[in-house]
């Protein structure tokens, strides 16, 4: 298990696949949050998130698209690398975007590998059930941990006729249950269950040995995942029923930026406190040595 010194003293123990497995056995809930950059990753990691998902939801909340479909594997790797730099404890999962794993098991394996070798992730997630089982088996066979994802599949938004709750009829519930079993049997070490009725999620949780992580699936799962922009209140135009906002960052950020704009216009920022102070200038020496600048601006 990797450990790194925190503030030069306390070691931070990285969450691993065995840690997550043991959490399910002990009945300890798993907290998973999406992250897309280093600063948010650091903040959510310090908050105690067990897993950080570099979700393709970044297509919607970061890129402003109306679905996750346009997100590319290169964009995902870029964000994953940033998240990996920010997080010291959480298990980092890279989300395989649309068309990065459906063409063949070989394509899936190559792209899953990129998440670990280039993106610094510890595992990957991919959407699909029975149809994705062989792909999962192939990725797991080389030692890459896989998180499955069944129920509402955002990459199948057009086939589902929108972002709709799945498994409402008996027949559809049986399909979702079969998907969950197929993913677990293929070797996934955890399973995201999205947008299904709570009783179906409870049945999946009880029948599978691997941890289930719910989103819009009720309280019976072994863990929960939310998009960080949703839980922090950064999505002013979206209020899905399954989201609880734990902060109002958008409103706070807008008000803070407005105060800054007002202060600039009024000439009340910067004050002396934010200036470096005048210096007595002498003639420049003729011979200078250059040194590399640190950070992105002077500090004194
Ligand atoms: O992309 C994502 O953020 C996800 C979660 C909603 C599970 O897949």
């Amino acid at each position: 298990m990797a450990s790194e010194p925190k503030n030069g003293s306390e070691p931070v123990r990285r969450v691993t696949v065995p840690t997550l497995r043991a959490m399910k056995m002990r009945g300890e809930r798993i907290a998973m949050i999406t992250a897309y950059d280093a600063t948010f990753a650091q903040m959510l990691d310090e908050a105690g998130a067990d897993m950080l998902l570099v979700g393709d939801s970044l297509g919607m909340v970061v890129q402003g698209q109306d679905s996750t479909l346009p997100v590319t594997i290169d964009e995902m790797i870029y964000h994953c690398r940033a998240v990996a730099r920010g997080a010291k404890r959480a298990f980092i999962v890279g989300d395989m975007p649309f068309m990065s794993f459906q063409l063949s098991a070989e394509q899936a394996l190559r792209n899953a590998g990129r998440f670990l070798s280039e993106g610094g992730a510890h595992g990957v997630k991919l959407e699909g059930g029975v149809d994705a089982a062989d792909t999962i088996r192939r990725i797991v066979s080389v030692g890459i941990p896989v998180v499955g994802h069944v129920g509402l599949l955002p990459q199948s938004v057009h086939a589902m006729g929108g972002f709709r709750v799945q498994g409402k009829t008996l027949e559809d519930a049986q399909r979702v249950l079969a998907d969950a079993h197929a993913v677990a049997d293929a070797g996934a070490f955890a399973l995201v269950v999205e947008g299904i009725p709570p009783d179906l999620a409870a049945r999946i949780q009880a029948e599978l040995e691997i941890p289930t992580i719910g989103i819009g699936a009720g309280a019976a799962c072994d863990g929960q995942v939310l998009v960080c922009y949703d839980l922090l209140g950064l999505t002013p135009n979206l209020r899905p029923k399954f989201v609880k906002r734990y902060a109002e960052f958008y409103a706070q950020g807008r008000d803070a930026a407005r105060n800054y704009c007002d202060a600039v216009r009024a000439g009340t920022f910067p004050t002396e406190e934010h200036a470096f102070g005048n210096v007595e200038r002498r003639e420049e020496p003729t011979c200078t040595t250059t040194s590399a600048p640190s950070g992105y601006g002077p500090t004194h």
Side-chain angles (χ1 to χ4, degrees), residues 34 36 53 55-57 95 125 127 149 192 194 215 225 227:
T34 69
Y36 315 109
L53 170 65
D56 63 355
S57 49
D95 203 5
K125 174 173 87 59
E127 293 182 15
H149 184 155
V192 167
E194 177 167 1
I215 174 162
V225 56
V227 168

Side-chain angles (χ1 to χ4, degrees), residues 147-161:
V147 178
H149 184 155
V150 301
L152 192 165
L153 304 179
Q155 290 174 16
S156 303
V157 59
H158 298 307
M160 292 182 309

Side-chain angles (χ1 to χ4, degrees), residues 159-227:
M160 292 182 309
F163 296 102
R164 290 167 184 272
V165 173
Q166 302 293 298
K168 290 215 267 192
T169 64
L170 187 59
E171 197 188 2
D172 204 40
Q174 272 160 357
R175 175 187 63 82
V176 176
L177 190 61
D179 279 341
H181 277 282
V183 167
D185 292 348
F189 78 95
L191 178 68
V192 167
V193 293
E194 177 167 1
I196 59 171
D199 61 336
L200 177 57
R203 180 153 177 211
I204 294 172
Q205 189 278 338
E207 290 187 12
L208 297 192
E209 284 180 13
I210 61 173
T212 58
I213 319 274
I215 174 162
C221 297
D222 301 295
Q224 296 290 326
V225 56
L226 277 183
V227 168

